[in-house]
Amino acid sequence: MSKVVDTIKTIISKLSKDKFKIMLVAIISMLAIQSKAFANSVVNVDINGKSNDTIEIIILLTVLSLLPSIVIMMTSFTRITIVLSFLRNAIGLQQTPPNQVMVGIALFLTLFIMSPVISEINTTAYEPYKQELISQDEFYKRAQEPLKGFMLKNTRPNELNMFITLSNNQEVNETQDLQKLPLTVIVPAFMVSELRRAFIIGFLIFIPFLIIDTVVSTVLMSMGMMMLPPVMISLPFKILLFVLVDGWSLLFQTLIKTFQF
């Protein structure tokens, strides 16, 4: 091995810079041609004694890498996260609860809300596919239907009609059955509807805390305490109000009831 390395070093030292560049380009070109030929060839991988196409494995890995985006865009996660962020800002707590706790709460509330959809996907799509009763294409088709149903129930008609019009697709415009609409139309319409509802809920959350801030600021001004920050006085009262009305239970109950199943 050492003799081979010494030989290569000797050849490189005798080559000029231009010749070395040409040689390097030739080697890279050969590797590119070989990799292209390898990509065009059919490669099968055996998993548990079953032959699997490499393309199918790549598609599966791609879906798994996009799973966080799917959870954010096609479930109740977005509305819950935004509302919790509004609540924290309304109270005036910048880092309490921490972001990890907020995301954890939103994730488990999402699992609770989406459990009927997950159960339906498991029954109608995953179990038949696992038992090899349906093909992979049929599995994807059946798995989309419960998600489409959930998103359509929680999407405002205005947003849905807007994206149907913007799609410039004659088939989409003439579709009477909303379940047959593609995900490229349903998902953005659902996201816009979720953002709108989340901001409306956040506005309603801000109102009682804004009243407390106004009252405290007015009292301090009337007492001549202009140098005392109103936040130092209003923050304990806002926390006390939130605890007395059992704010967390009330918020979670209201959030769950805002979704249509």
Side-chain angles (χ1 to χ4, degrees):
M1 185 70 182
S2 59
K3 292 182 179 180
V4 174
V5 175
D6 294 336
T7 304
I8 294 173
K9 289 181 179 180
T10 304
I11 294 173
I12 293 174
S13 62
K14 291 181 179 180
L15 292 173
S16 62
K17 290 185 179 180
D18 295 334
K19 292 181 179 180
F20 179 73
K21 290 180 180 178
I22 295 171
M23 182 179 177
L24 185 61
V25 170
I27 293 173
I28 294 174
S29 301
M30 291 173 61
L31 292 175
I33 293 171
Q34 290 181 358
S35 62
K36 184 177 181 180
F38 177 76
N40 292 330
S41 63
V42 177
V43 181
N44 292 326
V45 180
D46 292 336
I47 299 177
N48 294 330
K50 298 179 181 179
S51 180
N52 294 272
D53 192 355
T54 307
I55 296 177
E56 294 182 359
I57 296 176
I58 293 174
I59 293 173
L60 179 61
L61 293 175
T62 303
V63 172
L64 291 176
S65 64
L66 294 175
L67 186 60
S69 299
I70 294 173
V71 172
I72 293 173
M73 295 186 298
M74 302 174 67
T75 65
S76 58
F77 185 85
T78 300
R79 188 190 304 185
I80 297 171
T81 306
I82 294 175
V83 170
L84 291 177
S85 300
F86 269 114
L87 173 66
R88 188 169 64 178
N89 291 329
I91 296 177
L93 301 171
Q94 300 300 324
Q95 299 296 330
T96 305
N99 291 330
Q100 294 86 347
V101 176
M102 302 280 278
V103 173
I105 293 172
L107 181 60
F108 279 95
L109 280 177
T110 301
L111 291 175
F112 178 80
I113 293 170
M114 300 297 296
S115 57
V117 178
I118 297 173
S119 299
E120 187 176 353
I121 293 174
N122 180 64
T123 303
T124 60
Y126 178 71
E127 288 297 334
Y129 178 72
K130 185 178 179 182
Q131 298 173 8
E132 299 182 354
L133 299 177
I134 59 175
S135 63
Q136 191 175 37
D137 294 336
E138 184 67 19
F139 166 74
Y140 290 142
K141 183 178 179 181
R142 292 189 181 185
Q144 288 179 11
E145 293 178 357
L147 283 173
K148 283 184 177 180
F150 173 79
M151 288 188 289
L152 288 172
K153 289 179 182 178
N154 292 277
T155 302
R156 297 175 68 247
N158 293 338
E159 279 78 12
L160 191 61
N161 294 330
M162 178 183 68
F163 281 98
I164 290 175
T165 305
L166 292 174
S167 64
N168 292 325
N169 190 328
Q170 190 67 23
E171 295 181 359
V172 173
N173 291 330
E174 295 178 355
T175 301
Q176 300 296 327
D177 187 5
L178 297 180
Q179 282 284 349
K180 295 182 180 179
L181 290 173
L183 289 175
T184 53
V185 173
I186 297 177
V187 172
F190 173 72
M191 287 295 297
V192 174
S193 298
E194 287 295 284
L195 291 172
R196 182 179 183 276
R197 289 191 175 97
F199 274 68
I200 291 174
I201 297 172
F203 170 75
L204 296 176
I205 289 175
F206 257 96
I207 292 176
F209 299 112
L210 181 62
I211 293 174
I212 293 177
D213 286 333
T214 304
V215 171
V216 170
S217 179
T218 303
V219 171
L220 291 177
M221 288 285 291
S222 62
M223 296 176 64
M225 298 181 180
M226 299 180 182
M227 301 301 294
L228 182 64
V231 179
M232 293 182 60
I233 307 300
S234 63
L235 181 59
F237 286 101
K238 289 189 287 187
I239 295 175
L240 179 63
L241 173 66
F242 190 71
V243 172
L244 289 177
V245 299
D246 198 9
W248 289 113
S249 299
L250 184 62
L251 177 65
F252 294 158
Q253 182 180 0
T254 306
L255 270 176
I256 293 172
K257 287 183 177 180
T258 57
F259 289 97
Q260 298 181 14
F261 303 98

